[in-house]
Amino acid sequence: MANSYRFGCRVTFVRNFREWTLKDACGMETTYILTYGDTYRDLYQPALIIAACFAFTASVFSILLIFQHLRSYNNPAEQKWVVAVLLMVPIYATESILALWNPRLSMACDILRNCYEAFALYSFGSYLIACLGGERRVIELLEDESEKLLSKSLLEGAEDKPKSEHRTLRNFFLQPCVLGKDLLTIEKFGLVQYMILKTVCAFLVLILELFGVYGDGEFRWYYGYPYIAVVLNFSQMWALYCLVQFYNVTHERLKPIKPLAKFISFKAIVFATWWQGVGIALLCTIGILPKEEKFQTGLQDFLICIEMAVAAVAHVFVFSAQPYQLLPVSEYGKVTTQEKLTLVEGNNERPTTLEKTETEIEAPGTSVKESIQDIVVEGGQHVVKDVVLTINQAIEPVEKGVTKIQETFQHVSVSSDKEIEELEVKVEERDDEEEREVKVEEHVERTVIGG
């Protein structure tokens, strides 16, 4: 509709939802009410082209870096998890550009993206453990750190408490060092529970969406979105906090791999993309951004494509394959040393310093096919093992609780049976006593009558 008035009157153009009021040079007020559909339609084409360029750049950089790791696959224990982390960028970029190109694919792409995000977080934790020498070596390091801290506390006059009292959940927040090997168990449980919950919630979202009760971005009690968002938020926060506490205890041992840059680059992808989606949903809910599903999901996918390009460039430096291309000669059974003699003069002393340096050679290339096979087989077995272990750890307290309840009911049942038996015995004794009294009275009566 359009109402127009000449000579300084108010001119109003009404199309749909939001109202904008402007004044021209003559002081005339003009009010526009524009549709969000027009905004989305106008921005769609340029946004798709820009996002496609960034997604292509991110994929190329990441795939080249992954290929370098596969060709220099000389440390499988670490590199299988590095490749899993690096795959996060092309997977995110591909799914986001597909969802932006065809909004109908948005739900499926979001599910796959969420599932891989959880696996990538688990892979990063496994990478840190591998860099420390494996789980057995990590347990030894954590136990040593715990013993050192406890010994230091005793030297400072602290109270000597049993070791079991130090290994409590409270100390996980205050003094994670004293937990020893339990810290590794908590860290793995935190990462795996997020991987399981994220996967389960992703498929739950699909089911709720099919029934029309998910309500993506709608913070209303009769939709499933706010509840799933809260559950995943707490789960992710706990997983990241476990990873942070593990990093705080082991960062000195991880210095050779420069863990801070790796930690920040990875955490920025996982944490920022999640809160970015929640933030966009909130802005749409309160009306700052257009409250339209296509606009909301499209903006999220567009931003992720740009962020993945930045992350891909950062990964080239942070997760470089160069350390695996040049390895010490000792790795191949040979040790070459270069001796350097240095004379130091001072106070009439001439000590001799002997310096030994170990040379490095270029490591032989490996088969890409064999590298991928090791990643899939060995990595898959490791994941299954940790998932089974985590599920057993989660079920164990439940089993103990159920057993305790059963024992309580059994105890109550046995007590009740005993009380019933005692009551029956008392009733029988009372009946016998009454029968004896009756017999005595009859005997006395017969005696009196006979006498």
Side-chain angles (χ1 to χ4, degrees):
M1 294 186 300
N3 298 323
S4 58
Y5 301 91
R6 296 181 179 179
F7 307 111
C9 297
R10 183 177 181 182
V11 181
T12 305
F13 295 91
V14 180
R15 289 189 182 179
N16 207 345
F17 290 103
R18 183 171 290 242
E19 184 177 281
W20 303 84
T21 302
L22 301 175
K23 287 186 178 181
D24 60 12
C26 299
M28 296 171 55
E29 280 191 354
T30 305
T31 302
Y32 301 92
I33 300 179
L34 304 177
T35 63
Y36 295 139
D38 292 341
T39 304
Y40 178 80
R41 191 164 48 249
D42 294 339
L43 296 177
Y44 176 74
Q45 282 298 123
L48 182 62
I49 295 172
I50 294 172
C53 294
F54 278 99
F56 179 76
T57 304
S59 300
V60 169
F61 273 91
S62 295
I63 290 172
L64 288 176
L65 183 57
I66 290 170
F67 184 77
Q68 290 177 7
H69 277 280
L70 295 177
R71 287 291 296 143
S72 305
Y73 197 68
N74 300 302
N75 191 342
E78 295 180 14
Q79 286 179 281
K80 66 165 61 79
W81 304 117
V82 174
V83 171
V85 172
L86 294 177
L87 274 172
M88 190 177 183
V89 169
I91 288 176
Y92 265 46
T94 303
E95 291 171 347
S96 296
I97 194 63
L98 284 175
L100 187 60
W101 171 65
N102 188 354
R104 294 180 180 179
L105 301 175
S106 179
M107 182 60 64
C109 290
D110 192 51
I111 291 173
L112 293 175
R113 187 167 58 211
N114 289 336
C115 291
Y116 197 83
E117 175 191 313
F119 174 69
L121 183 61
Y122 165 83
S123 299
F124 186 76
S126 300
Y127 167 68
L128 296 182
I129 294 173
C131 290
L132 291 169
E135 292 186 11
R136 185 173 299 179
R137 180 59 180 158
V138 171
I139 290 173
E140 294 175 358
L141 293 175
L142 293 177
E143 288 294 322
D144 290 342
E145 292 291 332
S146 177
E147 292 294 339
K148 288 179 183 178
L149 187 62
L150 294 177
S151 301
K152 184 179 178 181
S153 299
L154 290 176
L155 291 175
E156 292 176 353
E159 185 181 354
D160 184 13
K161 295 181 180 180
K163 204 169 186 179
S164 59
E165 292 187 13
H166 290 283
R167 299 191 171 183
T168 60
L169 187 61
R170 177 175 172 270
N171 280 330
F172 175 70
F173 298 98
L174 302 178
Q175 288 183 310
C177 291
V178 303
L179 295 177
K181 63 180 182 181
D182 293 337
L183 179 62
L184 177 61
T185 303
I186 295 174
E187 184 258 355
K188 290 181 67 175
F189 184 88
L191 296 179
V192 177
Q193 63 83 24
Y194 176 63
M195 184 169 61
I196 295 173
L197 272 178
K198 190 79 171 181
T199 305
V200 172
C201 287
F203 287 100
L204 184 60
V205 166
L206 179 61
I207 295 172
L208 293 177
E209 186 68 22
L210 291 175
F211 286 96
V213 292
Y214 177 58
D216 189 17
E218 297 287 342
F219 290 89
R220 299 180 181 178
W221 67 268
Y222 49 82
Y223 283 133
Y225 174 80
Y227 305 105
I228 291 178
V230 169
V231 170
L232 289 180
N233 181 40
F234 279 105
S235 178
Q236 186 189 67
M237 291 289 288
W238 177 250
L240 288 172
Y241 185 76
C242 290
L243 198 59
V244 168
Q245 291 295 74
F246 181 78
Y247 167 77
N248 288 336
V249 175
T250 59
H251 71 278
E252 291 293 333
R253 305 275 185 173
L254 291 169
K255 274 186 177 179
I257 67 166
K258 299 178 181 179
L260 185 59
K262 292 179 171 62
F263 190 82
I264 292 175
S265 64
F266 176 78
K267 188 177 178 181
I269 296 176
V270 176
F271 200 70
T273 52
W274 165 253
W275 277 106
Q276 180 177 275
V278 175
I280 292 173
L282 285 172
L283 292 176
C284 291
T285 300
I286 62 180
I288 296 178
L289 292 177
K291 192 176 180 182
E292 184 180 5
E293 187 176 354
K294 285 185 179 180
F295 186 90
Q296 180 177 329
T297 57
L299 179 59
Q300 170 76 338
D301 294 325
F302 174 76
L303 292 176
I304 287 177
C305 288
I306 296 176
E307 291 159 358
M308 290 306 104
V310 177
V313 175
H315 283 175
V316 172
F317 301 96
V318 175
F319 291 100
S320 173
Q322 187 174 359
Y324 303 102
Q325 294 172 349
L326 297 175
L327 296 177
V329 180
S330 57
E331 295 288 335
Y332 299 93
K334 300 177 183 178
V335 177
T336 59
T337 60
Q338 179 183 1
E339 297 183 0
K340 183 179 179 182
L341 187 63
T342 304
L343 298 177
V344 181
E345 295 183 1
N347 298 328
N348 299 325
E349 294 182 359
R350 299 170 62 86
T352 302
T353 303
L354 183 65
E355 295 181 359
K356 293 184 178 181
T357 59
E358 190 177 77
T359 60
E360 291 183 337
I361 64 172
E362 186 174 353
T366 56
S367 169
V368 174
K369 181 179 179 181
E370 292 177 357
S371 303
I372 294 175
Q373 185 177 357
D374 179 76
I375 291 172
V376 174
V377 176
E378 296 294 329
Q381 291 176 353
H382 194 280
V383 172
V384 171
K385 178 183 174 183
D386 282 347
V387 169
V388 171
L389 180 63
T390 302
I391 292 175
N392 289 335
Q393 288 176 339
I395 292 176
E396 186 177 354
V398 177
E399 290 180 344
K400 288 182 179 179
V402 172
T403 303
K404 197 169 183 180
I405 292 172
Q406 289 177 346
E407 290 176 352
T408 303
F409 278 117
Q410 187 176 2
H411 178 70
V412 172
S413 177
V414 170
S415 301
S416 301
D417 292 340
K418 287 183 179 179
E419 290 178 357
I420 292 172
E421 289 178 359
E422 291 177 357
L423 184 60
E424 289 177 351
V425 170
K426 289 181 179 179
V427 171
E428 291 178 357
E429 290 177 353
R430 184 181 300 172
D431 292 339
D432 293 340
E433 187 176 348
E434 290 178 353
E435 288 180 3
R436 286 196 298 271
E437 289 179 355
V438 171
K439 289 180 180 180
V440 170
E441 290 179 356
E442 290 177 353
H443 179 68
V444 172
E445 290 178 357
R446 285 198 298 270
T447 304
V448 171
I449 293 171

